[in-house]
Every structure is written in C-alpha cells, then in structure tokens.
Amino acid sequence: MRWTQTFLPTLKEVPSDAEIVSHQLLLRAGLVRKLTGGLYTFLPMGLRALKKVEAIIRQEMDRAGGIEVLMPALQPPDIWQQSGRYESARDVLFKVKDSAQREWVLGPTHEEVITTLAAAEINSYRQLPKCFYQVQLKFRDEIRPRFGLMRAKEFIMKDAYSFDATDEGAMVSYKKMYDAYTRIFARCGLKAFPVEADTGVIGGNYSHEFMVPAETGENDVVYCEVSGYAANIEKATSRGALTPTPDVSTGAAPEKFATPGVVTIEALTAAPHQVPAASQVKTLVYVADSKTILVLLRGDDQLNEAKLLARTGAIQARPATPDECFSALGARPGSLGAAQNVPSTVSVYADEQLRNARGMTTGANDDGFHLRHVDVDRDIRVSQWADFRTVAAGELAVVSGQPLKIRRAIEVGHVFKLGTKYSEKLNSTFLAENGLRHPTVMGCYGIGVTRTLQAVIEQGNDKDGIIWPISVAPFEVCLTPLNVTPGAPTLVLAEKLYAELTAAGIEVILDDRDDRPGVKFKDSELVGFPLRLGIGEKSLAKGQVELKPRGGALMAVPVEEAVARVIEWVKTERASLQTVSD
Ligand code: ATP
Ligand code: MG
C-alpha cells in the first residue's frame, strides 16, 4: 500500500472532545472519524486493525469448535417480549417503526434470535453440543456514549451461543470459550485477565468478565494478589468491614432522642451526639420494580446496587424520592429507620454486616429524631439478610484472608453460563437419549471487538503515538524513503524493497509522500507502525538503510541485509504474540 493512495488524515492537535488517550489517538492517527456522539466511521488504517482483531477472534472461535453464522440486526419485538427482555432491557433497546407503524427492535445482543433458531432446528441430543458465533453490529441506547469506541451506540461484537444437552456439557462449552478468550486477548497483545462477574440483566448463574487494567476503565476490579481471586466490584465479597461493630449494648429498649438538623451519617458522628458511623444503621428506601423496599447497611458501608438487583431479583431499582420516603415511612431521608413504624407491606433487606449488631443508632421515622439502643436482631423485622455492601480496598479476601486491592479496568469480554433461562422461554428443547424432552442448556459469550481495538491503544502508547502489537497493527512496516523525486536512488531502492518484502508476506506501507522527513517520521510514530525502514541519501551513500522499531533504538543496516533483517524482526515479533497452541 502506498501512503498517497490510501486515506490517512493525521491530526497535529489533540481533539478537544476526546478525553482519554486512546480516543485521542484513534482520531489523531486517522483511524476513525466521529459522525456524532457514539457513532464512528472507520478509515482505512482503523479498518485494517479492526479486521486483524476480527481475524484473530474468528481463528480462535473456529479452533474452539464455533460455527459462524450471521443474524439480523433488525428483530421483531415479540421474541423480546417472550424472553421478558422487552421490559428488562428497555433502557438500551433501540426501537424503530416501519411505514405501517409496526415496531422493530435493533439488536443489542442476540440470545433471542439464536434461541429461536435453535428451537426450530435442534431437536435431538444427537445434534448437541453446538456453539454458534457471529461478528456483527450491535445497537445500544447508551445514556452516556463516551470515550470513542469504548461506549458507543453502535459497535461490533463477537457474540457466541452454546447449546448443550446437560449442565456438565454446558460447563465444557463454557471452558472452551473461556480458554479461547484467553488466547484471543493474548494474541492481540492485551494484558486481559478474567474476573468473576455479576450476571445482570442477561441472567444466568455463572459468569466471568475479561478485564484490561486501565485507569480510564469504567469497572472496578477487586483482587487478591496472593490467591488470585478477582471479581468485579458488583460481585466481589470480603470477610467484611475492617472495623468491627462496637458492641455498646446495655440491653436497654430503643430510645428516641432529638437530633434537629442532623440528616447525614457524618453529622451524627459529630458533637454533640458523637455516634461512630459503625454504630449507625443506614436506612435506604428503594423502589424495586415499583415496590417500596428498605435496605439497611452499617453507617460506614455503601450499597452495591448490582447486589441489590441480584438478591431481590428485581429488574430495576432506584432510590425513592423524598416524597416517596415520606409516604412510606412518615419521615424524610436523614431521619429514616426500620425499627419503628414500618408498614408490614414493606420488605426490609439487611446487610450481613449488621447481624447481631447491638446498641445501634438509627432514624426514628420522625423528622428530627433518632433512636438509640437498637439491637438489630431484636428490634428490626428483617425480611431477608444478604450481602449488599460494596467491598473496600484493604478488606480481607474470604478464602485467603489477605488484603484485597481495587483497580480500574476496561471490560473487553464477557462469558455467561445461562442455563435454561432462554431455552425455556423461547422453547428450545430436544429429545434426550431417554426419550424425554428437555430444554437446551445455554451459554453466551461476547467480545466487544471495537472496544478491544481501542483497549489495545489505551494499553500501548507513548507521547509520540500508538505502540501496536504487531498482530493488530494496520501495517507491520513503514518504508520511508526521504527523497521521493522520481528516479531518486532512495525511491528506486524503496520500490525494490517494497516489492521484495511484500512478496515475502510482510505488510508494508510505502510512505511515498513528498514531505519533510520530520513530518514523515512523526506520522509513522503517531500511527505507530511497529518497524520503520528509513532510506535517506546520507546513509545510502554509505550503503546503509535505517531500521527503527517503534519505541526502540535506530539500527544502521547494510542495504543488502535489509530485507532479511526486516523479515527476521517481523517474524520474531509475530512469534512473541502467538499462543502455545498456534
Ligand atoms: P458494559 O457493562 O460496559 O455496558 P455490558 O456488560 O453491558 O457492557 P455485554 O452485554 O457483556 O456488555 O457485551 C459484551 C461486550 O460488548 C462487552 O464485554 C464489551 O466489551 C462490549 N460492549 C458492551 N457495550 C458496549 C458499547 N456500548 N460500546 C462498545 N462496546 C460495548
Ligand atoms: Mg458485560
């Protein structure tokens, strides 16, 4: 490929609306252009890199026994109604109407479509297991599309769906995908690691996310360096708060006391009351699927909303408004409590950290008053105990007892064991060997292909631009003759090397622009081609050309060795990203 014949518009300035480095570099290196928030056009270099990620994914899916298909993006809403996700996923569903005012859904994911296919086509245990996959556009009505391709309204996903006859079989399928994901990210040069994950709106009972550590990531991962435990904070557990709950119980009955103007946990810790946060019960009022519920936590703990949804089985939950609090409990936030005047219709969920907590202080459900001497087990009608709190750094891991750490990360992939949730709703059943009909046991597996591409850039860059792993770079070598006047020896040699390297299977872009060397060098660093082969008049006079690995030192090489040296360098780089089984 010749630079002048492709379309590679680099930018000197950092685009003002790109907040994170990978988003800036996507634009500056001419990989993509924004149409509007969350919608991007891939330019040739971006598209080449994207296709490389896709090719790696396809190879590994095929190796793992995946069968490629392609499903429609436009889907009838009735299958979404059948699965229950027309409601539960309504926040992200894009809906469109046709000329007859009939509604359609733009697929954010494809469990409904693939299960409909399996329902029609898979009827016997003899056809199982099967694992279908596709690389396809997804549409999601994200409230806050941002960071370029990281959170877009339209993005490319590789999604796979496995169908098995038994639970054990489904675990085997899951493990195959899990291993394939490990290989895919390694081959993309990404340091991605699996963490235990919440199953969210998709449902199911077992799940891992593949995370790329990055300060700009939107996930918090809790991990233990000693045992290797790692979980999304939405799911993570620990041995509990580091400070024990002070046991100051006198056995006395709850006593109401005036706390005018005190409406926060913190305010109650101050004079004159001086109640430590760990001795307070925090009462949160939530509306979960239109039901009002109370969630109790220790005063210094934070609610984990993903856990709330998981434990209550609610599809959606939001904090109640002050008016809703008042109508449920007769008081406003700041004076709420569960020890007195709680209607029997209101379920009370309590965090495990509060078990046996005695001598606690909580709101009295009377504005301007609190209650002290509250023993949770004695005085509060708890409907369900569970883990609702958010783990904090430094708490001890459940199994190893070692301190947990927390770091930010980008979710690039997600594997779920779904069980029979979708197969039952959409009637994917099969005749087992014993002649009985059973629902198929499913798994689903997604990789954000466009997000993965950007994660590669977020992980590999320096002040000059992108540092690609060779497996994903748009071209492996940038061949840079400094004088491109027709007939100039630098250009003549460049054309010769270009032909020889291309014939040897090396991906070369020939920078044939008539530009200053500084501009050409800067651009090749910015776009980040792994190796630059520079041909300047001065070194050529000495019979030499220059090899410059991106981010490495310049090497002068005799002209006659150039092709062999480039091939060797490229092959070594390629090999470093191959997995054992390649
Ligand atoms: P997130 O929590 O980031 O919204 P998700 O858990 O909803 O993602 P999944 O349904 O698990 O996403 O989709 C599989 C993969 O698709 C994710 O792991 C992620 O890499 C990618 N992905 C999801 N949403 C987007 C988006 N809006 N833009 C780009 N990629 C996305
Ligand atoms: Mg996910």
Side-chain angles (χ1 to χ4, degrees):
M1 174 70 70
R2 281 151 212 278
W3 200 299
T4 54
Q5 283 168 19
T6 182
F7 187 67
L8 212 177
T10 57
L11 304 174
K12 282 201 194 67
E13 305 298 323
V14 176
S16 60
D17 59 345
E19 295 151 79
I20 66 174
V21 68
S22 54
H23 186 194
Q24 294 166 0
L25 287 170
L26 276 170
L27 294 163
R28 288 189 57 214
L31 305 181
V32 304
R33 284 293 180 263
K34 175 167 146 181
L35 174 62
T36 179
L39 297 175
Y40 289 83
T41 297
F42 275 81
L43 300 183
M45 293 304 123
L47 187 59
R48 282 186 71 97
L50 181 68
K51 284 185 173 169
K52 291 196 168 180
V53 176
E54 290 183 0
I56 291 171
I57 291 175
R58 284 198 167 90
Q59 281 167 18
E60 295 299 340
M61 284 295 114
D62 293 345
R63 187 207 299 278
I67 305 163
E68 187 168 1
V69 295
L70 184 60
M71 294 180 253
L74 196 61
Q75 305 174 10
D78 53 317
I79 53 176
W80 286 83
Q81 260 139 9
Q82 227 176 312
S83 73
R85 284 206 293 188
Y86 188 79
E87 272 307 310
S88 64
R90 69 163 177 249
D91 288 353
V92 297
L93 274 190
F94 268 114
K95 293 168 192 162
V96 290
K97 285 205 172 135
D98 64 17
S99 53
Q101 294 303 302
R102 211 184 131 187
E103 188 180 82
W104 300 85
V105 164
L106 286 174
T109 173
H110 279 69
E111 283 78 10
E112 282 75 4
V113 178
I114 198 75
T115 313
T116 303
L117 181 82
E121 304 293 332
I122 295 180
N123 281 305
S124 156
Y125 72 95
R126 287 201 185 87
Q127 294 168 282
L128 296 172
K130 284 276 178 296
C131 183
F132 299 104
Y133 81 92
Q134 65 174 348
V135 179
Q136 196 246 17
L137 270 182
K138 299 284 182 268
F139 299 86
R140 291 191 184 180
D141 191 2
E142 299 280 357
I143 330 165
R144 273 190 79 198
R146 58 181 191 153
F147 298 160
L149 307 174
M150 289 287 187
R151 185 165 298 286
K153 288 182 194 284
E154 179 189 303
F155 60 97
I156 297 175
M157 196 201 284
K158 184 289 301 172
D159 41 332
Y161 307 89
S162 63
F163 294 86
D164 274 272
T166 60
D167 228 38
E168 300 77 60
M171 272 324 287
V172 173
S173 297
Y174 185 91
K175 182 74 172 48
K176 277 191 190 161
M177 285 296 123
Y178 181 102
D179 292 344
Y181 276 32
T182 307
R183 286 198 299 269
I184 288 166
F185 296 122
R187 288 185 59 190
C188 290
L190 266 181
K191 288 184 201 78
F193 61 96
V195 310
E196 293 175 21
D198 178 52
T199 46
V201 89
I202 249 179
N205 46 21
Y206 192 68
S207 158
H208 288 90
E209 285 160 341
F210 285 77
M211 295 285 191
V212 172
E215 275 313 306
T216 53
E218 294 186 280
N219 294 269
D220 280 313
V221 170
V222 176
Y223 65 102
C224 166
E225 275 169 339
V226 179
S227 64
Y229 169 78
N232 191 313
I233 199 155
E234 295 179 342
K235 160 101 191 206
T237 53
S238 74
R239 292 191 182 180
L242 281 179
T243 48
T245 308
D247 188 351
V248 288
S249 173
T250 55
E255 176 193 27
K256 196 163 165 178
F257 64 108
T259 49
V262 174
V263 291
T264 60
I265 299 282
E266 217 198 332
L268 200 60
T269 64
H273 307 293
Q274 291 183 317
V275 182
S279 288
Q280 299 185 40
V281 178
K282 184 190 277 188
T283 308
L284 302 173
V285 185
Y286 264 73
V287 180
D289 292 349
S290 76
K291 275 207 320 244
T292 302
I293 60 168
L294 300 189
V295 191
L296 311 183
L297 294 154
R298 211 173 79 170
D300 51 351
D301 277 336
Q302 304 304 323
L303 174 67
N304 186 320
E305 287 195 4
K307 289 183 181 176
L308 179 67
L309 292 179
R311 313 288 186 256
T312 59
I315 290 166
Q316 273 160 339
R318 61 165 175 86
T321 63
D323 285 348
E324 286 168 331
C325 292
F326 193 83
S327 62
L329 297 178
R332 296 188 186 280
S335 304
L336 302 172
Q340 286 180 355
N341 307 330
V342 179
S344 59
T345 49
V346 174
S347 298
V348 180
Y349 294 89
D351 181 66
E352 290 291 352
Q353 192 72 48
L354 289 173
R355 252 192 218 274
N356 306 319
R358 305 190 305 163
M360 304 294 280
T361 299
T362 188
N365 281 341
D366 189 357
D367 285 343
F369 290 91
H370 278 76
L371 284 179
R372 56 186 158 218
H373 308 316
V374 172
D375 292 0
V376 175
D377 295 48
R378 180 192 67 189
D379 301 322
I380 297 181
R381 169 187 59 80
V382 174
S383 326
Q384 191 184 324
W385 288 94
D387 167 36
F388 291 106
R389 62 191 291 279
T390 306
V391 167
E395 289 174 11
L396 307 182
V398 175
V399 176
S400 70
Q402 298 297 313
L404 292 165
K405 294 187 170 176
I406 299 184
R407 70 171 151 198
R408 302 288 288 170
I410 300 164
E411 177 198 328
V412 284
H414 201 163
V415 291
F416 289 91
K417 187 166 167 287
L418 288 171
T420 55
K421 178 175 166 176
Y422 291 91
S423 48
E424 281 179 28
K425 291 199 164 127
L426 292 147
N427 306 318
S428 163
T429 60
F430 69 99
L431 268 183
E433 220 171 336
N434 61 11
L436 295 176
R437 203 160 260 287
H438 293 293
T440 51
V441 188
M442 291 176 60
C444 72
Y445 318 93
I447 291 181
V449 183
T450 38
R451 185 185 284 184
T452 297
L453 177 66
Q454 191 173 338
V456 168
I457 301 173
E458 187 68 20
Q459 203 168 70
N461 65 78
D462 64 10
K463 63 175 188 358
D464 298 320
I466 302 172
I467 304 178
W468 293 106
I470 201 160
S471 55
V472 183
F475 283 94
E476 295 172 317
V477 176
C478 181
L479 182 49
T480 313
L482 297 187
N483 181 352
V484 293
T485 315
T490 48
L491 184 62
V492 173
L493 178 62
E495 294 283 1
K496 179 170 170 278
L497 297 182
Y498 176 70
E500 286 177 27
L501 287 168
T502 306
I506 308 290
E507 296 179 9
V508 187
I509 182 163
L510 174 60
D511 188 353
D512 56 347
R513 292 176 300 167
D514 188 9
D515 243 319
R516 284 181 293 117
V519 170
K520 295 172 96 162
F521 289 158
K522 268 208 159 57
D523 276 351
S524 88
E525 302 273 299
L526 176 59
V527 188
F529 302 112
L531 186 66
R532 189 172 71 227
L533 171 51
I535 309 177
E537 274 157 343
K538 274 194 206 138
S539 47
L540 191 54
K542 290 188 269 175
Q544 290 179 330
V545 294
E546 287 171 345
L547 288 191
K548 165 98 177 44
R550 177 69 178 84
L554 197 105
M555 298 173 275
V557 171
V559 170
E560 56 279 10
E561 283 179 28
V563 168
R565 288 285 294 274
V566 169
I567 292 173
E568 184 200 300
W569 190 90
V570 167
K571 289 204 165 150
T572 310
E573 283 292 301
R574 286 181 187 166
S576 72
L577 289 167
Q578 264 154 17
T579 50
V580 196
S581 47
D582 281 332

